[in-house]
Each structure stands twice: as C-alpha cells, then as structure tokens.
Amino acid sequence: MKIASFNINGIKARIEALPAWLADAAPDVVVLQEIKSVDEGFPRGLFEDLGYRVETHGQKGFNGVAILSKLPLEDVTRGLPGDPTDEQARWIEATVIGARAVRVAGLYAPNGNPAPGPKYDYKLGWMARMRERALGLLATEEPVVLAGDYNVIPQAMDAAKPEAWLEDALYLPQSRAALQRIVNLGYADAFRLRHPGPGHYSFWDYQAGAWERNNGIRIDHLLLSPQASDLLRDAGIDKAVRAGDKPSDHVPVWIDLDA
C-alpha cells in the first residue's frame, strides 16, 4: 500500500500538475493539504475518473485537507478532537481497507508565525491536541499513519540553513519539542527509518532562488505506529515534482507498506 502526502498549495493552481503526478507515481492513498476549497468546490469528478475515492474537509480560501484512495475507506472523520470551537479545516481520518486495514490521518498543522503571539499559541495548542489523538489511536493497536504538513523542522539536518530558522515558529524549541512528544508516544518518522542522513527536503520557498540553490527544509512527515513501522517497505520524497509545471512549494512524501 503506497501512501503519500502532498501539500498542493491550492487545488485550482495544481489542477493539471496533481493528476499528472498521480498518473506517474500511482499512490494507493494520498492525503492532501491546503486544498483551499470548500467541499462542494473540490473537483472530485476529476479524481474519481482516475479511480480514486474522494473525501474532503474543506474551507473557503485557505487550509483544507483531503483523502484520495483507490482502496475502500471506512469510518471517515473530520476535525481534530479537543476543541469544539476550532473551525479550521486541518484534520481528516479514515481507515483504508487493503490487505490489512490501516488508519490514516491527514493533517495540516498550523504555521504559527509570527511567534510569539496568538498564532503560535494556537499552533502549540493544536499540536497538544494532536498528541492526545495520536495517543488514542495507539490504543487501537492497529497500524496508524499520521501523514501531512507538520510545519515543524525536527532537527538541524532537516534544513539547508538551520541558522536562518532560529526565530521561526517552524524551528523554535517549543515546536520541535511538541513534535518530539508525539514521537515519544511510540511513533517513528518513516523517512528517517530509511534515510538517516542530511540533505533531504520537502519544501522550498518560491523566493530568492531557494529551489535552484536547494535551500530547503523538511516539514512534511509520515509518522508510523509500531504496527505500521513493522509493515514499512520503503519511504521517499518525490523531489522532481518541484521542477514540473506550476509546482507547489512542497513536494510529495510517501511510504510503501506491506498492507
């Protein structure tokens, strides 16, 4: 079961690039972030014609997450538990029925800038709620994949120029600690299980020649429960997608599970 995560930075802007990547990479399941569309505005027919089931949790103009799956989906839920007043569309879950059932959560964590401030407080509160949900999912003792744009640079090796991010919400010690508290529950960073070295990134800013200079950061992650880690066959980043026509500022990250 190939599961991918891709922050597309707007479905309208990626209406040609996304189907082209799907045809080339052929993932079984894709979680999308920043679809920037209400549910009824998402071009679901385009992806259904490619063989995907489509589930969205949209929001007008910004945020928004989705799951595309060639495999059956069960128990689809929307929204991160823990704050009934939170209206931001950043979390979607479903059980994917392959050779084994896998619970997949697609997430778009808050950016948090400027920090300190209300946006950073929301980021840390959101990640604390995510930890509670991640803990609850572990209790099922089933394979769980938490996939998406975490907006956290875990380590210095995950940035080409870590010194440039010292005061950014993505790299502040509190942000990295919030992510580590989730990992400490028993989750594993799938990409690092297969690629422990530096120089791997999933985001490059559109400005200042970041892509041309490979001045990137790794903020898109797939965390695996122990049961999912046992099924891991491979993991990767589709870096070449950034060089395509009308690219997102992110590229897809993916895993292959024996499921």
Side-chain angles (χ1 to χ4, degrees):
M1 182 188 297
K2 185 175 182 180
I3 303 173
S5 173
F6 193 179
N7 182 323
I8 58 172
N9 194 16
I11 186 61
K12 291 182 180 179
R14 246 51 70 192
I15 198 67
E16 295 180 358
L18 180 56
W21 170 73
L22 289 171
D24 182 60
D28 299 298
V29 183
V30 187
V31 294
L32 303 175
Q33 303 88 43
E34 282 201 274
I35 62 174
K36 299 182 180 179
S37 168
V38 295
D39 294 337
E40 56 269 26
F42 191 85
R44 58 186 307 119
L46 174 63
F47 301 102
E48 289 171 344
D49 289 345
L50 295 174
Y52 287 95
R53 298 162 176 82
V54 179
E55 298 288 347
T56 61
H57 181 35
Q59 187 173 348
K60 185 176 181 180
F62 61 104
N63 296 335
V65 288
I67 298 179
L68 312 180
S69 179
K70 290 184 176 180
L71 299 168
L73 296 175
E74 293 183 354
D75 191 21
V76 180
T77 61
R78 295 166 174 82
L80 181 63
D83 183 358
T85 68
D86 186 1
E87 298 180 349
Q88 296 196 29
R90 295 181 174 275
W91 185 275
I92 189 169
E93 281 183 36
T95 299
V96 182
I97 308 301
R100 289 198 58 176
V102 178
R103 187 68 177 173
V104 176
L107 65 106
Y108 175 46
N111 177 284
N113 284 302
K119 291 185 177 181
Y120 192 58
D121 293 342
Y122 173 68
K123 177 188 184 76
L124 294 181
W126 195 95
M127 294 191 71
R129 287 161 50 204
M130 179 183 169
R131 181 186 181 279
E132 290 304 308
R133 181 58 186 152
L135 180 60
L137 288 169
L138 279 182
T140 67
E141 298 186 355
E142 294 295 331
V144 176
V145 179
L146 309 177
D149 177 358
Y150 282 69
N151 267 316
V152 176
I153 304 167
Q155 303 177 67
M157 68 188 300
D158 295 305
K161 297 181 177 180
E163 67 277 6
W165 298 89
L166 292 177
E167 298 183 7
D168 194 283
L170 278 63
Y171 192 55
L172 286 175
Q174 299 95 318
S175 303
R176 290 184 282 133
L179 176 58
Q180 190 61 46
R181 280 192 288 271
I182 297 171
V183 172
N184 288 347
L185 295 173
Y187 285 89
D189 181 337
F191 185 79
R192 285 298 177 212
L193 291 176
R194 290 293 179 268
H195 307 277
H200 302 284
Y201 313 121
S202 64
F203 170 93
W204 297 259
D205 194 275
Y206 288 125
Q207 307 301 319
W211 165 249
E212 291 76 11
R213 299 177 182 181
N214 198 30
N215 182 12
I217 55 177
R218 192 176 71 95
I219 57 175
D220 302 272
H221 312 298
L222 296 102
L223 297 188
L224 309 182
S225 69
Q227 295 81 5
S229 293
D230 288 344
L231 302 175
L232 183 66
R233 292 189 291 212
D234 201 3
I237 298 175
D238 284 353
K239 182 179 178 181
V241 176
R242 184 64 169 79
D245 186 43
K246 296 181 179 179
S248 170
D249 43 6
H250 295 250
V251 295
V253 298
W254 56 268
I255 56 173
D256 182 24
L257 299 182
D258 184 15

